């Protein structure tokens, strides 16, 4: 068939006629030009909403039209019925229903996409008419599609439709009816009314589906549709008591390969409905059906049939997980439930390696959590009975999980894809979590069990254990020790004694050994005598790049937890660490971790040793930095500089000698970190001189001092004058956010120290005047600077507000910077500005220059915030603006009342959506709240939604 000519003009200007709709459809489906397709689609959407759509849709469904056109006709019908139902007079409802039924019969042989849309349209119509205008829709549909009826009701000869096709069409209709209900947006009361009416129709649907499923004449297609139909209806919570025979019939279709997947989905949906728990007898009647699949499951495992095993496992887990407690309570049927638990245990231990050889075992892990929770929730006497039965099962489960966590051979593992390796890693994490959870039920006996097995493997000369066996047992120990307090376990000393016997030539095993030692760091802190046997293994691992993450993280944990007992081992740890750093064995990020570990170590050494050790550790890096400072800048040297500065930052993050032995008040100024910083300060300034315009280098330099300030706190005092001068130079040459952030730290810690006030004050003045010039030029490209600047001044207002008494600080200009920052779309910048204004408003009464600015420009602040709330800024930021409004209400309620009145009386401000009455209500609600932060957030959020036309759209909580 030739397509009609494409419309000459753009479709948006066309009259809605059948010809133009069809022409636009050809343009949508067949025009290669994407712009033309977009125009056509826009016009067709408008056409669907027009009144003419009620008539042109039937023409598009004509037998002479191509399927794409017919599909649009059917979709239009659904759109009109579901969205424009009220446009259709009630006296036309019956004729529309008859037309729809007639067309569904006509399209029963296809195309399927048209048939489905027509069925969805009729389903939507039924939902509009049930129950008053159409009391028994399903019964009427079944009568209309009777496949074996010799004549129609009026005695006329039936049409030539194929009974098989009619049956499929009826089933499609029954499939989509509950689906359309589930997907429709309905008021709660109407949803409840419709659900009740549809559940009432199940009495008609259920016998029909049973008849079709049992009939030898039903084709595979019919049975598949029946299964889909069951799946759709059980989602309505139809009573399992009325459906158990039908669900049992569904089990019979599992033997058909073509129907297997659909049957599994249907059965799982049917028995996963929480409401099923009310029908205990029905559940018990299904138990033999589920257990009857065990032989098929074992056969599938033997044949490597992943699809069948996966499906049967889903059914067993659905039964066990959803109804665990109910089935546990049926004490007279305890053997059946135990058989189901053992069936699921078989699934957990499914042969082969996940995910390459099998994907079934992972489905079962949450079941074991559920069962354990249910058992432990019973009262003590009843619990003891259940534990007697199920503790042995859980010990078996531990064996199974450890077996499933086994790595394959190195050759096989090397052949796995990176995706398979990642899935296996996640799978082992899930197993680890399960083992940790199971410990709650099995307790110390579980650790003893693991220890005995590990001991036999390592001590018995007759045992020729594979490395995977040892690794799995250590993995079990680590899983438990990582989250459970094992300090009181009597097997840990024995485990610590066994670990040095393990041959760590295999990298995977060595990795797990390291993590296991790390998980026992807190225990080692309580039993430092055991460190001597363990540390050499960790230091041995430190020299291997393959063990980079595990060995360094373990050393870091030991240095953090056991620092006060590492004195005898400090020399060895520092020697090995300096050696691996010099040889560049590890990646940059791991080197940072290693420096943090050494910081913990140095912190606990006797005070007189720290400076010497510190010099010894960092001298090679300072020499390297000195060489780089003299060389001509290039990209490679830049990365090395950033790396070395990062090492210093990491070291200074953890080196805290505040509790060091021998540290007295008189010696505080000799803090070794300060001594080192003073020695390298000239070198750092030299580097800055060459790299002042490189943001990464400046950030790395600021990072060194930032970490030092945070760790040293007031001990950093001797450096403040030098650092303030350097920050002035850095920021004056090339303004960057890290300099402002570091200045904020200095204000936070040293604002109260009078002898440093002039240093802090002059630094703040330079930073402020430079930033003000950025704001004058337009700060939009510097949201990070705006954020850090706001945070800096919020900190000043909090810690040293009298700085604003200085004539050299332009408070009005600062206020305007805050207002500009509120207009940024970036959340961190707005948050910073909000914090600034919250502090600003709280200080207005104490600091006259602040109060003067507020009186003159507070109205502008109020207007800015209201404009943002009303739609000028993303709705997600309204929470931050509410904090400013709360501060205004709390600290200057009279002024706020005046400003609200003046700004909100402006027409269409902050939005045309808000009426004068609604604005007045908002104003009154806001002024009533001066302390309740949560309530103010709710008021502002609701007003913001109202201004955006979103109230009641689902965004609102009210």
């Amino acid at each position: 068939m030739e397509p009609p000519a494409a419309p000459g003009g753009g479709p948006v200007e066309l009259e809605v006629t059948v010809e133009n709709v069809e022409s636009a459809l050809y343009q949508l489906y067949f025009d290669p030009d994407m712009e033309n397709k977009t125009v056509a689609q826009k016009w067709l959407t408008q056409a669907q909403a027009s009144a003419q759509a009620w008539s042109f849709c039937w023409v598009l469904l004509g037998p002479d039209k191509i399927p794409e056109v017919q599909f649009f006709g059917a979709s239009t019908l659904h759109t009109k019925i579901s969205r424009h139902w009220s446009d259709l007079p009630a006296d036309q409802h019956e004729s529309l229903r008859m037309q729809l039924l007639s067309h569904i019969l006509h399209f029963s042989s296809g195309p399927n996409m048209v048939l489905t849309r027509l069925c969805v349209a009729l389903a939507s119509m039924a939902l509009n008419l049930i129950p008053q205008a159409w009391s028994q829709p399903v019964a009427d549909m079944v009568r209309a599609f009777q496949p074996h009826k010799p004549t129609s009701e009026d005695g006329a000869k039936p049409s030539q439709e194929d009974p098989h096709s009619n049956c499929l069409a009826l089933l499609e209709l029954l499939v989509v009816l509950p689906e359309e209900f589930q997907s429709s947006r309905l008021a709660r009361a109407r949803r409840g009314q419709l659900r009740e009416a549809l559940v009432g129709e199940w009495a008609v649907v259920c016998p029909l589906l049973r008849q079709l499923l049992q009939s030898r004449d039903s084709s595979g297609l019919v049975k598949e549709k029946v299964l889909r139909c069951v799946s759709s209806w059980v989602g309505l919570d139809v009573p399992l008591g009325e459906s158990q025979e039908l669900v049992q019939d569904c089990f019979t279709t599992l033997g058909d390969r073509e129907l297997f997947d659909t049957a599994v989905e249907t059965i799982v949906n049917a028995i996963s409905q929480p409401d099923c728990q009310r029908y205990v007898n029905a559940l018990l009647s299904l138990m033999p059906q589920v257990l009857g699949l065990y032989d098929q499951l074992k056969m599938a495992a033997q044949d490597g049939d992943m699809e069948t095993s996966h499906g049967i496992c889903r059914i067993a887990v659905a039964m066990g997980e959803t109804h665990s407690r109910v089935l546990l309570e049926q004490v007279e049927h305890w053997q059946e439930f135990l058989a189901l638990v053992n069936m699921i245990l078989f699934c957990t231990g499914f042969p082969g390696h996940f995910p390459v050889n099998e994907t079934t075992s992972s489905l079962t892990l949450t079941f074991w959590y559920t069962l354990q929770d249910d058992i432990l929730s019973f009262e003590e006497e009843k619990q003891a009975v259940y534990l007697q039965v199920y503790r042995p099962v859980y010990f078996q489960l531990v064996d199974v999980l450890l077996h499933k966590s086994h790595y394959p051979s190195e050759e096989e593992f090397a052949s796995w894809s990176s995706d398979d390796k990642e899935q296996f890693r996640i799978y082992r994490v899930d197993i680890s979590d399960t083992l940790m959870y199971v410990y709650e039920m099995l307790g110390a006996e579980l650790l003893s069990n693991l220890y005995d097995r590990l001991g036999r493997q390592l001590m018995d000369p007759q045992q020729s254990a594979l490395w995977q066996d040892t690794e799995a047992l250590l993995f079990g120990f680590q899983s438990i020790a990582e989250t459970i307090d094992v300090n009181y376990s009597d097997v840990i000393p024995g485990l610590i004694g066994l670990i040095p016997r393990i041959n760590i030539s295999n990298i995977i095993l060595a990795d797990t050994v390291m993590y296991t030692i790390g998980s026992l760091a807190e225990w080692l802190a309580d039993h430092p005598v055991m460190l001597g046997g363990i540390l050499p293994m960790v230091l041995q691992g430190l020299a291997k790049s393959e063990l980079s993450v595990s060995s360094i993280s373990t050393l870091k944990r030991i240095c953090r937890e056991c620092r006060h007992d590492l004195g005898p081992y400090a020399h060895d740890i520092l020697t090995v660490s300096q050696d691996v750093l010099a040889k560049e064995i590890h990646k940059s990020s791991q080197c940072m971790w290693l420096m943090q570990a050494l910081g913990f170590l140095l912190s606990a050494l006797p005070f007189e040793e720290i400076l010497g050790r510190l010099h010894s550790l960092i001298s090679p890096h300072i020499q390297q930095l000195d060489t780089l400072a003299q060389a001509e800048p290039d990209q490679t040297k830049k990365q090395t500089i950033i790396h070395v500065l990062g090492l210093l930052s990491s070291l200074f993050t953890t080196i805290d000698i505040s509790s060091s032995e021998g540290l007295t008040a008189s010696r505080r100024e000799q803090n070794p970190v300060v001594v080192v910083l003073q020695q390298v300060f000239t070198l750092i300034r030299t580097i800055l001189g060459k790299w002042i315009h490189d943001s990464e280098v400046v950030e790395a330099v600021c990072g060194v001092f930032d970490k030092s300030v945070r760790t040293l706190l007031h001990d950093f005092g001797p450096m403040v004058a030098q650092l303030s001068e350097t920050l002035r130079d850095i920021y004056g040459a090339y303004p960057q956010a890290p300099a402002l952030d570091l200045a904020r730290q200095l204000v936070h810690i040293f604002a109260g120290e009078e002898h440093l006030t002039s240093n802090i004050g002059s630094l703040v003045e330079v930073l402020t005047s430079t930033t003000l010039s950025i704001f004058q030029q337009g700060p939009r490209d510097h949201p990070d600077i705006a954020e850090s600047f706001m945070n800096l001044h919020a900190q000043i207002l909090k810690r040293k507000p009298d700085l604003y008494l200085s004539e050299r600080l332009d408070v009005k200009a600062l206020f305007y910077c805050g207002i500009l920052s509120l207009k940024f779309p970036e959340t961190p910048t707005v948050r910073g500005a909000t914090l600034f204004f919250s502090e600003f408003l709280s200080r207005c009464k104490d600091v006259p220059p602040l109060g003067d600015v507020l009186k003159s420009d507070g109205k502008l602040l109020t207007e800015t915030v209201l404009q943002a709330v009303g739609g000028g800024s993303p709705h997600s930021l309204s929470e931050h603006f509410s904090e400013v409004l709360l501060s205004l209400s709390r600290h200057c309620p009279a002024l706020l009342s005046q400003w609200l009145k003046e700004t909100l009386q402006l027409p269409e401000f902050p939005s045309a959506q808000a009426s004068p009455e609604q604005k007045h209500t908002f104003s009154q609600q806001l002024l009533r709240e001066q302390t309740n932060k949560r309530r103010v957030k709710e008021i502002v959020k609701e007003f913001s939604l109202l201004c955006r036309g979103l109230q009641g759209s689902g965004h609102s909580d009210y």
Side-chain angles (χ1 to χ4, degrees):
M1 171 184 159
E2 288 295 316
V12 177
E13 304 158 6
L14 293 175
E15 183 186 351
V16 179
T17 64
V18 174
E19 292 75 18
N20 286 337
V21 169
E22 203 168 346
S23 179
L25 282 167
Y26 274 92
Q27 192 168 309
L28 175 66
Y29 287 121
F30 305 115
D31 192 322
D33 189 315
M34 282 307 297
E35 195 171 327
N36 288 344
K37 285 177 180 287
T38 304
V39 172
Q41 186 171 32
K42 184 178 178 182
W43 183 80
L44 286 166
T45 302
Q46 293 172 353
Q48 279 188 320
S50 69
Q52 297 93 311
W54 284 109
S55 53
F56 75 62
C57 60
W58 300 111
V59 182
L60 298 180
L61 284 164
D64 58 330
K65 306 300 183 187
I66 62 172
E68 289 83 357
V69 172
Q70 293 171 332
F71 176 78
F72 183 77
S75 294
T76 300
L77 255 177
H78 175 242
T79 300
K80 299 305 289 182
I81 292 169
S82 60
R83 298 182 190 172
H84 306 276
W85 180 248
S86 58
D87 297 348
L88 191 70
D91 59 3
Q92 294 183 28
H93 291 174
E94 184 59 27
S95 63
L96 174 63
R97 184 172 74 172
M98 298 311 295
Q99 275 182 290
L100 268 170
L101 284 167
S102 171
H103 277 76
I104 290 172
L105 282 166
H106 174 74
F107 281 98
S108 61
S109 299
N112 282 335
M113 63 178 184
V114 182
L115 172 65
T116 299
R117 292 316 292 169
L118 287 170
C119 289
V120 172
L122 183 57
S124 186
M125 182 180 182
L127 295 180
N128 282 317
L129 296 174
I130 295 172
Q132 291 86 356
W134 197 358
S135 58
Q136 295 182 310
V138 173
D140 292 344
M141 290 173 190
V142 171
R143 272 196 296 275
F145 287 88
Q146 275 296 349
H148 304 300
K149 208 168 178 183
T151 58
S152 60
E153 281 185 10
D154 59 4
K157 186 180 177 183
S159 55
Q160 299 302 310
E161 285 94 354
D162 171 21
H164 179 257
S165 299
N166 283 10
C167 182
L168 288 172
L170 172 61
L171 289 170
E172 181 66 21
L173 194 47
L174 294 177
V175 168
V176 301
L177 182 58
E179 290 176 350
E180 182 68 5
F181 165 76
Q182 302 283 20
S183 63
S184 296
R185 293 182 65 178
L186 300 162
R188 183 179 296 179
R190 176 63 177 155
R191 181 171 290 278
Q193 182 188 39
L194 278 175
R195 183 187 295 277
E196 186 180 345
L198 288 173
V199 169
E201 295 283 280
W202 181 237
V204 178
V205 177
C206 187
L208 172 67
L209 299 182
R210 282 206 74 193
Q211 179 191 339
L212 290 171
L213 211 51
Q214 291 175 349
S215 172
R216 293 183 178 180
D217 297 331
S218 294
S219 66
L221 276 175
V222 167
K223 288 184 176 180
E224 185 177 8
K225 267 292 199 280
V226 168
L227 291 168
R228 282 186 54 213
C229 202
V230 175
S231 198
S232 183
W233 280 80
V234 295
L236 297 173
D237 291 334
V238 295
L240 183 63
E242 298 173 19
S243 320
Q244 65 189 71
E245 292 89 354
L246 177 57
V247 178
Q248 287 171 0
D249 291 340
C250 293
F251 276 88
T252 64
T253 61
L254 289 168
D256 188 328
R257 297 295 299 178
E258 299 297 318
L259 298 176
F260 183 82
D261 289 344
T262 312
V264 167
E265 202 65 44
T266 300
I267 294 166
V268 168
N269 286 342
I271 60 181
S272 295
Q273 300 301 320
D275 192 53
C276 293
Q277 295 183 4
R278 293 197 293 128
Y279 305 98
V280 177
N281 290 333
L283 279 174
L284 292 173
S285 74
L286 292 174
M287 188 70 90
Q289 306 282 335
V290 178
L291 295 176
L293 299 172
Y294 202 171
D295 288 339
Q296 191 179 349
L297 174 66
K298 290 176 181 174
M299 187 66 70
Q302 191 176 320
D303 297 341
D305 183 350
M306 289 171 66
E307 185 181 334
T308 300
S309 58
H310 198 84
I312 294 175
C313 176
R314 284 186 63 201
I315 293 171
V317 169
M319 177 64 92
E321 198 171 316
T322 313
H323 309 295
S324 168
R325 187 177 182 87
V326 171
L327 294 171
L328 278 168
E329 288 172 337
Q330 309 313 306
V331 181
E332 65 278 13
H333 295 277
W334 71 272
Q335 288 176 310
E336 285 181 43
F337 185 58
L338 180 59
L340 178 66
V341 170
N342 281 314
M343 184 176 174
I344 295 173
L345 182 64
F346 177 84
C347 294
T348 306
F350 203 83
H353 282 106
F354 181 96
V356 175
N357 310 118
E358 62 93 10
T359 55
T360 299
S361 56
S362 63
L363 301 175
T364 66
L365 297 181
T366 53
F367 164 75
W368 299 108
Y369 287 75
T370 305
L371 178 59
Q372 179 174 317
D373 285 346
D374 288 336
I375 290 171
L376 297 181
S377 69
F378 287 115
E379 62 275 11
E380 199 169 327
E381 191 177 325
K382 206 170 184 182
Q383 188 185 119
V385 176
Y386 285 117
L387 287 174
Q388 196 173 350
V389 176
Y390 288 102
R391 267 176 64 90
V393 175
Y394 271 83
F395 274 113
Q396 289 180 57
L397 173 65
V398 170
D399 290 345
V400 166
L401 290 175
L402 291 177
H403 181 74
K404 292 299 294 182
S405 70
H406 274 205
Y407 277 88
S409 68
E410 290 165 271
E411 297 77 20
E412 186 183 342
F413 193 60
S415 70
W416 285 15
S417 68
S418 56
D419 186 49
D420 286 339
K421 287 178 180 177
E422 176 60 12
Q423 283 193 57
F424 183 61
R425 184 193 68 78
I426 294 169
Y427 176 67
R428 277 174 53 103
V429 170
D430 292 340
I431 287 178
S432 175
D433 291 343
T434 309
L435 288 169
M436 178 269 294
Y437 206 76
V438 164
Y439 180 82
E440 186 184 353
M441 179 184 275
L442 302 183
E445 194 179 340
L446 171 55
L447 289 178
S448 299
N449 184 296
L450 295 176
Y451 172 67
D452 291 343
R453 289 171 61 183
L454 184 64
R456 284 196 299 273
Q457 280 186 14
L458 296 176
M459 304 297 286
D460 187 348
Q462 304 300 317
Q463 292 269 342
S464 55
L466 297 170
W467 67 265
Q468 287 97 330
D469 297 330
T470 305
E471 193 278 336
L473 288 169
L474 286 173
F475 171 73
F477 266 114
Q478 179 212 329
S479 301
I480 296 162
E482 201 66 69
T483 47
I484 305 292
D485 183 4
V486 295
N487 278 10
Y488 303 104
S489 170
D490 56 1
V491 304
I492 301 301
L495 174 62
I496 295 289
L498 285 176
I499 285 176
R501 293 176 169 273
I502 298 171
N503 180 345
I504 59 170
S505 57
N506 179 278
I507 293 301
I508 295 173
L509 174 57
D511 225 24
T512 304
V513 168
M514 294 298 151
Y515 284 125
T516 305
I517 295 171
S519 70
L520 298 171
E522 288 184 32
W523 186 91
L524 288 166
D526 292 336
H527 306 82
V529 70
M530 307 297 285
L531 281 165
I534 286 293
L535 267 175
M537 285 191 88
V538 179
L539 297 180
Q540 183 186 341
L542 209 61
K544 296 182 179 180
S545 61
E546 302 93 334
L547 300 178
S548 190
V549 175
S550 61
S551 61
I552 292 175
S553 66
T554 295
L555 180 63
K556 183 180 171 183
R557 290 176 77 167
I558 289 173
C559 288
R560 184 180 64 223
E561 302 297 337
C562 312
R563 68 181 89 173
H564 299 294
D565 300 295
L566 290 177
Y569 315 104
H571 177 75
D572 290 345
I573 294 172
L574 286 164
T575 302
V576 173
S577 299
Q578 286 174 264
D579 185 52
V580 299
L581 287 168
K583 291 177 179 175
E584 299 181 356
I585 290 173
H586 304 294
K587 291 179 181 177
S588 182
S589 57
Q590 273 85 59
C591 292
M592 306 302 164
W593 291 1
L594 182 53
M595 281 303 229
Q596 288 176 13
L598 299 178
F600 287 125
L601 174 66
L602 291 172
S603 299
L605 293 179
F607 183 80
E608 58 276 6
E609 284 186 35
I610 295 176
L611 186 58
R613 298 279 195 186
L614 186 57
H615 269 305
S616 172
L617 174 61
I618 66 172
S619 288
H621 305 293
I622 300 302
Q623 289 168 12
Q624 187 181 17
L625 211 53
D626 192 28
T627 304
L628 292 166
Q630 310 307 322
E632 285 301 309
D634 63 38
Q635 191 63 28
T636 306
K637 293 184 180 67
K638 169 186 158 180
Q639 293 306 321
T640 308
I641 288 171
I642 291 172
H643 172 73
V644 174
L645 291 171
L647 293 178
L648 295 177
S649 296
S650 299
L651 180 63
F652 297 155
T653 300
T654 54
I655 185 166
D656 178 11
I657 63 165
S658 56
S659 60
S660 176
E661 293 177 25
L663 181 62
T664 62
S666 62
R667 299 173 66 180
R668 268 189 174 279
E669 291 186 16
Q670 301 171 346
N671 190 303
V673 176
V674 175
V675 173
V676 168
L677 283 173
Q678 287 173 327
Q679 289 171 354
V680 300
F681 200 86
T682 306
L683 174 57
I684 287 176
R685 285 198 64 110
T686 305
I687 290 170
L688 279 173
K690 290 191 175 183
W691 296 92
I692 194 73
H693 294 291
D694 190 291
S695 60
E696 291 178 83
V697 174
V698 170
E699 187 174 352
V701 168
C702 290
V704 172
F705 292 107
D706 182 69
K707 297 295 190 296
S708 305
V709 171
R710 288 172 187 270
T711 306
L712 296 172
L713 301 177
H714 293 278
D715 283 1
F716 190 83
M719 297 290 302
V720 170
Q722 287 173 285
L723 183 56
S724 297
E725 184 185 343
T726 301
L727 282 176
R728 291 199 297 270
D729 295 343
I730 289 174
Y731 202 74
Y734 186 50
Q736 294 179 59
L740 294 170
D741 295 334
L742 181 50
R744 178 164 55 88
Q745 284 298 326
L746 293 179
V747 170
H748 174 61
I749 295 166
F750 298 105
E753 300 195 11
E754 292 302 320
H755 68 287
L756 296 174
T757 298
S758 61
N759 298 113
I760 300 287
S762 59
L763 171 61
V764 168
E765 287 168 12
V766 170
L767 297 180
T768 301
S769 62
T770 306
T771 309
L772 288 178
S773 65
I774 294 174
F775 270 86
Q776 285 165 359
Q777 295 160 16
R780 184 64 200 92
D781 294 333
H782 306 285
D784 56 335
I785 288 178
E787 176 199 348
S788 296
F789 186 60
M790 289 292 102
N791 285 326
L792 168 62
H793 275 280
Q795 189 66 255
I796 296 168
L797 284 161
K798 192 174 186 177
R799 302 280 293 152
K800 194 71 174 171
D802 54 358
L803 284 181
Y804 293 94
L805 298 172
S806 167
E807 293 180 358
R808 292 190 294 273
L809 270 182
D810 189 339
V811 178
K812 184 182 277 284
L814 268 175
F815 192 89
Y816 286 139
C817 287
I819 285 175
L820 286 173
S821 299
L822 283 174
K823 296 180 179 180
F824 275 68
E826 288 86 1
T827 301
T829 308
V830 174
R831 192 188 299 122
T834 300
L835 189 61
F836 167 72
F837 279 115
S838 296
E839 295 293 341
F840 187 101
L841 293 166
S842 70
R843 297 290 185 178
C844 280
K845 292 176 182 174
D846 307 328
V847 184
L850 303 184
D852 295 342
V853 170
L854 179 66
K855 285 172 188 171
S856 63
D857 295 297
K859 180 182 173 183
L860 177 61
L861 172 61
T862 307
E863 189 178 313
T864 302
V865 172
L866 290 176
Q867 190 169 28
V869 169
S873 293
H875 172 64
S876 58
L877 296 176
S878 64
E879 179 180 326
H880 301 294
F881 298 121
S882 70
E883 293 180 23
V884 180
L885 291 170
L886 176 62
S887 294
L888 284 166
S889 180
R890 181 180 294 164
H891 299 293
C892 47
L895 287 170
L896 176 62
S897 176
Q898 177 190 331
W899 295 330
L900 284 172
K901 186 176 180 181
E902 291 173 6
T903 52
L904 290 176
Q905 72 182 9
L906 296 170
E908 299 191 0
F909 180 86
S911 161
Q913 301 273 357
S915 68
E917 294 77 17
Q918 289 167 324
K919 290 193 282 188
H920 177 72
T921 301
F922 166 69
S923 177
Q924 293 305 305
Q925 287 178 324
L926 192 61
L927 290 168
R928 275 199 298 269
E929 299 295 341
Q930 294 184 9
T931 56
N932 192 332
K933 190 175 182 180
R934 182 185 62 80
R935 177 63 186 139
V936 172
K937 282 182 183 178
E938 290 172 356
I939 293 167
V940 173
K941 177 184 176 183
E942 203 61 26
F943 186 64
S944 178
L945 290 169
L946 172 70
C947 290
R948 297 163 200 265
L950 295 173
Q951 196 175 38
S953 65
H955 294 79
S956 172
D957 292 335
Y958 304 99

